[in-house]
Amino acid sequence: MDKPVRILLVLAHSETKTGLFNKFVYTSYYPSITLEQLSSITPDQYEVEYVDERYESVDLFWKGTLVGISTLTPNAPHAYLIADAFRKRGKKVVLGGYHPSALPEEAKLHADAVVIGEAEISWPQLLRDFENGELKPFYRAPLVDPEQIPSPRRVPGQYPSIGVVQASRGCPYGCRFCAIQNVEGSRFRARPVRQVIEEIRTIESERFMFADSSLTINSDFTKALFQEMIGLNKKFSCYGNINVLQNDDELLDLARRAGCETWLVGFESINQDAIRHIGKSTNKVQEYASGIKKIRDQGMSIIGLFIFGFDTDTPNIFKATLNAVNTWKLDRAGFAILTPFPGTIVFDDLDIENRIFTRDWAKYNLRNIVYYPKNMSVKQLFSGRNYIAKKFYSLPNCLRRSVQEKNLTFDRFLRRTAGDFLLNRYFQKI
Ligand code: SF4
């Protein structure tokens, strides 16, 4: 009998770090099931291994035949390096993910084939072509039907034990800075509730996270899902839009009863002009405070996500935002620098205006500045973002937030304090 073809799947990351802080950040804010879903759609006759480089480095001397590498923009230079290294050693390499989907011709310089967009249809086709010696340079397939969004195939114990579930794909909103539509498209597609529930039942850990870009795009679907989750005894966090959460008491009530602990919400800015400019006009700044209060009154936490560097931002935006987030009693917050990812409208706008000063993709990481801001200097934007992050995660602020939380059980206090401590240590060093 022929030996099975060995496939290595890699989630590229330029900085493999096993420290607690990184585990905490990846599992709390950036869940990924890319590798597990790819493994799941790979036909059984192949022998699949996978490496998430956020947690372990890839072995460039791996003995197998085909390497599939998925990468986001800041990790693309590293992904290209390992792709080149594998090809030098005679392996066939396939690149996919957000960055190769936005810039397939660039990715092709480092790969034998590039998968553009979702892989569920392309990947099995690519494997058939590979076996027949007919690998094509590019694979682009239509968006998959929601029933085909796969359950991940996990290797128990391989990576941190938080579960990740994807109940839907696609977002119709098209915010100018967001790259989600490059891969998932603009059509919202929800998996059958029964499938999602079955998957949640298989998660070993008590806690998990939804990897959906937003669980408030179709409230009817989310309510049906949450209704079925009541009684599963799980706790979870998920992304949602504040305008929906603010106005739908039934959704919030069902979320709490289903086990929701935390909503991650893209507020983006406290300036309505900026919100208008980026095309997220469903966000109403004057309703943020009452929306946050509603969520907290239901006993759920809220992590607010903000971006700095919009054309409407001036150097005053940092102090004004700090005052606002402290007054609103946000439980946590993320502060990013506007990053024009390839394939987004922001990228095209800034490029046309000749304001992008580097295409070193490694710097496209939400912490560095790669374009000339309009109403402040590069230095002001960089130090302003670091200022707010340091202040928000100063020890007095962390303590104040801990004691303000309702229904603070001991377990929750411990987890919260540990998380804040890690964030404090990290941000005091920047
Ligand atoms: S930022 Fe959120 S709401 Fe806007 S397009 Fe992206 S996923 Fe959709």
Side-chain angles (χ1 to χ4, degrees):
M1 210 170 88
D2 287 345
K3 271 192 166 175
V5 171
R6 285 181 70 190
I7 298 175
L8 178 65
L9 301 172
V10 182
L11 186 65
H13 202 275
S14 50
E15 296 171 55
T16 298
K17 285 191 181 147
T18 53
L20 258 184
F21 176 77
N22 290 282
K23 276 187 189 166
F24 165 74
V25 168
Y26 298 144
T27 53
S28 308
Y29 299 94
Y30 305 112
S32 173
I33 45 171
T34 303
L35 295 176
E36 292 86 344
Q37 284 183 329
L38 274 174
S39 171
S40 170
I41 59 169
T42 306
D44 285 342
Q45 72 258 33
Y46 297 97
E47 199 178 294
V48 182
E49 295 152 61
Y50 60 78
V51 171
D52 183 337
E53 282 200 294
R54 298 179 302 174
Y55 304 112
E56 61 175 322
S57 309
V58 69
D59 174 10
L60 296 174
F61 295 92
W62 171 79
K63 291 189 178 26
T65 317
L66 182 68
V67 182
I69 303 172
S70 176
T71 185
L72 297 169
T73 296
N75 299 309
H78 169 75
Y80 294 159
L81 277 180
I82 59 174
D84 294 345
F86 275 123
R87 290 177 91 197
K88 239 187 215 163
R89 291 171 173 79
K91 315 296 175 202
K92 290 281 183 208
V93 171
V94 179
L95 277 161
Y98 274 83
H99 191 80
S101 294
L103 298 176
E105 299 285 347
E106 176 191 286
K108 180 66 183 68
L109 298 174
H110 306 273
D112 298 286
V114 177
V115 172
I116 302 163
E118 292 181 340
E120 279 78 11
I121 296 171
S122 307
W123 179 242
Q125 177 62 50
L126 181 151
L127 292 175
R128 281 193 294 276
D129 289 352
F130 169 72
E131 296 261 31
N132 295 330
E134 295 171 355
L135 205 53
K136 300 185 181 56
F138 299 103
Y139 287 81
R140 185 199 294 272
L143 298 175
V144 293
D145 292 334
E147 297 78 20
Q148 291 175 279
I149 298 172
S151 291
R153 187 188 288 161
R154 299 188 172 90
V155 177
Q158 188 167 356
Y159 294 121
S161 62
I162 181 138
V164 183
V165 172
Q166 187 172 46
S168 65
R169 281 190 192 159
C171 180
Y173 294 124
C175 303
R176 298 169 83 86
F177 61 87
C178 180
I180 200 98
Q181 291 188 353
N182 286 347
V183 171
E184 295 192 9
S186 59
R187 184 161 55 88
F188 177 75
R189 291 158 293 149
R191 294 171 67 195
V193 167
R194 147 190 64 78
Q195 267 184 26
V196 182
I197 295 293
E198 283 313 307
E199 194 177 312
I200 293 171
R201 283 186 202 281
T202 65
I203 294 177
E204 284 175 10
S205 58
E206 183 191 20
R207 289 191 165 77
F208 74 94
M209 182 162 185
F210 279 105
D212 305 49
S213 56
S214 170
L215 263 187
T216 56
I217 294 171
N218 181 330
S219 298
D220 289 342
F221 163 72
T222 306
K223 285 177 191 174
L225 175 64
F226 286 171
Q227 184 70 54
E228 292 300 312
M229 287 175 64
I230 296 170
L232 292 185
N233 294 322
K234 292 286 184 191
K235 294 180 176 156
F236 66 91
S237 55
C238 54
Y239 284 85
N241 293 50
I242 192 63
N243 59 308
V244 180
L245 297 170
Q246 146 86 6
N247 292 307
D248 196 333
D249 293 347
E250 186 192 357
L251 178 66
L252 276 187
D253 179 58
L254 281 168
R256 177 185 52 77
R257 289 164 57 208
C260 179
E261 290 186 308
T262 304
W263 285 97
L264 292 99
V265 173
F267 291 102
E268 323 304 359
S269 176
I270 62 160
N271 180 346
Q272 193 66 44
D273 287 340
I275 299 287
R276 203 170 301 118
H277 180 69
I278 58 177
K280 200 170 187 175
S281 40
T282 46
N283 274 15
K284 302 274 181 277
V285 174
Q286 78 270 18
E287 292 179 356
Y288 284 0
S290 55
I292 293 164
K293 182 169 182 321
K294 266 193 176 178
I295 294 169
R296 301 194 75 247
D297 283 351
Q298 285 273 11
M300 294 175 278
S301 305
I302 178 161
I303 299 176
L305 306 168
F306 295 86
I307 300 174
F308 297 103
F310 297 121
D311 282 357
T312 45
D313 285 349
T314 66
N316 298 330
I317 191 70
F318 306 106
K319 274 200 174 134
T321 306
L322 183 63
N323 286 341
V325 294
N326 284 337
T327 312
W328 294 336
K329 299 187 173 168
L330 275 182
D331 296 274
R332 280 212 184 113
F335 305 107
I337 285 172
L338 179 65
T339 301
F341 293 112
T344 61
I345 303 171
V346 165
F347 181 91
D348 293 341
D349 287 350
L350 290 171
D351 197 29
I352 286 170
E353 293 170 20
N354 229 359
R355 289 167 59 193
I356 294 180
F357 61 76
T358 176
R359 286 177 196 235
D360 176 356
W361 304 130
K363 293 202 163 73
Y364 284 60
N365 58 8
L366 307 173
R367 302 188 304 273
N368 283 296
I369 301 160
V370 298
Y371 68 99
Y372 297 108
K374 197 164 200 170
N375 284 311
M376 63 181 115
S377 66
V378 167
K379 196 169 166 213
Q380 281 172 318
L381 176 52
F382 186 74
S383 52
R385 179 267 174 182
N386 290 352
Y387 158 84
I388 189 168
K390 271 185 193 182
K391 285 280 179 193
F392 187 80
Y393 288 106
S394 67
L395 275 181
N397 261 338
C398 290
L399 280 173
R400 185 182 50 72
R401 284 195 295 275
S402 273
V403 292
Q404 83 192 3
E405 185 167 327
K406 285 190 169 188
N407 310 324
L408 191 63
T409 58
F410 185 61
D411 161 60
R412 214 163 144 149
F413 173 77
L414 279 185
R415 283 186 304 109
R416 180 191 184 98
T417 308
D420 277 352
F421 177 72
L422 290 170
L423 289 163
N424 169 272
R425 292 284 304 273
Y426 175 79
F427 284 116
Q428 299 320 307
K429 278 190 258 165
I430 59 176

